């Protein structure tokens, strides 16, 4: 079983749409959770951390369900500039290494 | 702003050559990492280091070695490059400051081994 699983997509949505990405992780000792964004041929960059209580940053909302070992990212009012690959990332407690999902590609069209 | 730099954006080498990939970070981070990223396989950890002269194997260390002589610099070495090492190589660094520590990536080096 893969440690961090994501739907690879691509998700094709029109501008203004709301889109949700899901991610599951297999190790219950996972302690920290993140969403990274990677533009085509660029490096991954941190989009947001994911907290147990859920958190929001503008049009982006992240949720964590520890019981189901499930993380989500919701993007409202999609922009063309949101087109990218979104990586789900987890870290085990006490470790500095991160485990990356393979990413979900989002394509926002006019 | 955290800055992680890598010595080359693109590199072309021949099979059997020794290849050095350099990474430098300017934020005094303790941890540094080397990944490779391939289509369909995602990011895979090669080696990491949590202190000067310390190194730990990641998930795919075979065919690679690393060096960390100074805190800000982490080098990846391909002793004898092979075609299956053609890939995008990404360096990252992170502080050791608890649960929310996250990694900052360099721009990557696209290596082609002929």
């Amino acid at each position: 079983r893969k440690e961090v699983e994501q739907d690879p997509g691509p998700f094709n949505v029109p501008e203004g749409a709301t889109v949700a990405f899901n991610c599951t992780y297999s190790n219950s000792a996972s302690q920290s959770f993140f969403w990274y964004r990677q533009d085509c041929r660029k490096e991954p960059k941190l989009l947001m951390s994911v907290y147990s209580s859920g958190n929001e940053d503008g049009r982006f909302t992240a949720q964590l369900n520890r019981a189901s070992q499930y993380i989500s990212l919701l993007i409202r009012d999609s922009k063309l500039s949101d087109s990218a690959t979104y990586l789900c990332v987890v870290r085990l407690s006490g470790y500095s290494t991160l485990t990356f999902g393979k990413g979900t590609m989002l394509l926002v069209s006019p | 702003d955290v800055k992680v730099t890598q010595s080359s954006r693109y590199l072309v080498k021949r099979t059997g050559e020794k290849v050095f990939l350099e990474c430098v970070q300017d934020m005094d981070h303790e941890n540094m990492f080397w990944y490779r990223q391939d289509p369909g396989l995602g990011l895979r950890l090669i080696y990491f280091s949590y202190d000067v002269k310390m190194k730990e194997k990641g998930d795919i260390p075979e065919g690679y070695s690393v060096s960390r002589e100074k805190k800000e610099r982490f080098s990846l070495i391909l002793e004898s490059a092979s075609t299956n090492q053609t890939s995008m190589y990404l360096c990252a660094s992170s502080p050791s400051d608890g649960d929310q520590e996250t990694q900052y990536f360099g721009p990557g080096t696209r290596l082609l081994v002929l």
Side-chain angles (χ1 to χ4, degrees), chain A residues 3-61:
Chain A
E3 292 189 53
V4 179
E5 291 205 59
Q6 298 181 248
D7 183 336
F11 283 49
N12 287 282
V13 303
E15 269 186 295
T18 295
V19 61
F21 304 135
N22 302 319
C23 167
T24 57
Y25 59 95
S26 60
N27 194 326
S28 58
S30 298
Q31 183 68 26
S32 307
F33 308 89
F34 310 92
W35 283 100
Y36 275 68
R37 171 197 168 123
Q38 186 172 22
D39 292 301
C40 188
R41 304 181 74 81
K42 296 286 183 91
E43 74 273 22
K45 292 185 179 178
L46 178 67
L47 178 66
M48 58 197 302
S49 300
V50 186
Y51 302 114
S52 296
S53 54
N55 48 298
E56 191 173 304
D57 182 2
R59 298 181 293 108
F60 298 84
T61 300

Side-chain angles (χ1 to χ4, degrees), chain B residues 7 9 11 35 38-39 45 51 89 99 111:
Chain B
S7 50
R9 294 299 298 272
L11 212 49
Y35 296 87
D38 301 286
L45 182 64
D51 203 351
Y89 289 88
D99 285 348
L111 172 66

Side-chain angles (χ1 to χ4, degrees), chain A residues 31-34 36 38 41-46 49-51 87 91 93-98 100-102, chain B residues 9-10 31 33 35 37 40-43 45 48 88 90 94 96 98-103 105-107 110:
Chain A
Q31 183 68 26
S32 307
F33 308 89
F34 310 92
Y36 275 68
Q38 186 172 22
R41 304 181 74 81
K42 296 286 183 91
E43 74 273 22
K45 292 185 179 178
L46 178 67
S49 300
V50 186
Y51 302 114
L87 303 170
R91 188 175 69 84
S93 179
Y95 288 81
S96 293
T97 56
L98 300 176
F100 288 80
K102 292 182 181 177
Chain B
R9 294 299 298 272
Y10 301 94
N31 306 316
F33 308 83
Y35 296 87
Q37 187 173 32
L41 296 177
L43 274 157
L45 182 64
F48 65 101
M88 167 75 131
L90 288 156
S94 74
S96 294
D99 285 348
Q100 289 307 316
E101 67 185 59
T102 187
Q103 293 180 14
F105 284 84
R110 290 193 175 274

Side-chain angles (χ1 to χ4, degrees), chain B residues 11-109:
Chain B
L11 212 49
V12 180
K13 296 291 181 181
R14 297 211 173 270
T15 301
E17 281 193 75
K18 191 168 185 175
V19 182
F20 292 87
L21 302 182
E22 300 278 328
C23 175
V24 178
Q25 50 94 3
D26 65 358
M27 285 303 293
D28 202 37
H29 285 170
E30 290 79 13
N31 306 316
M32 296 188 74
F33 308 83
W34 274 107
Y35 296 87
R36 63 178 283 178
Q37 187 173 32
D38 301 286
L41 296 177
L43 274 157
R44 293 181 291 167
L45 182 64
I46 304 171
Y47 266 98
F48 65 101
S49 168
Y50 54 88
D51 203 351
V52 175
K53 296 194 185 296
M54 305 301 286
K55 61 184 179 183
E56 295 283 345
K57 291 180 180 179
D59 299 319
I60 51 162
E62 297 79 18
Y64 304 94
S65 61
V66 290
S67 171
R68 192 159 181 208
E69 296 297 316
K70 294 185 178 181
K71 190 175 185 180
E72 67 270 18
R73 189 179 297 268
F74 193 35
S75 302
L76 180 69
I77 303 148
L78 288 65
E79 292 289 341
S80 176
S82 62
T83 53
N84 63 12
Q85 291 179 309
T86 291
S87 186
M88 167 75 131
Y89 289 88
L90 288 156
C91 174
S93 72
S94 74
S96 294
D97 63 358
D99 285 348
Q100 289 307 316
E101 67 185 59
T102 187
Q103 293 180 14
Y104 301 88
F105 284 84
T109 296

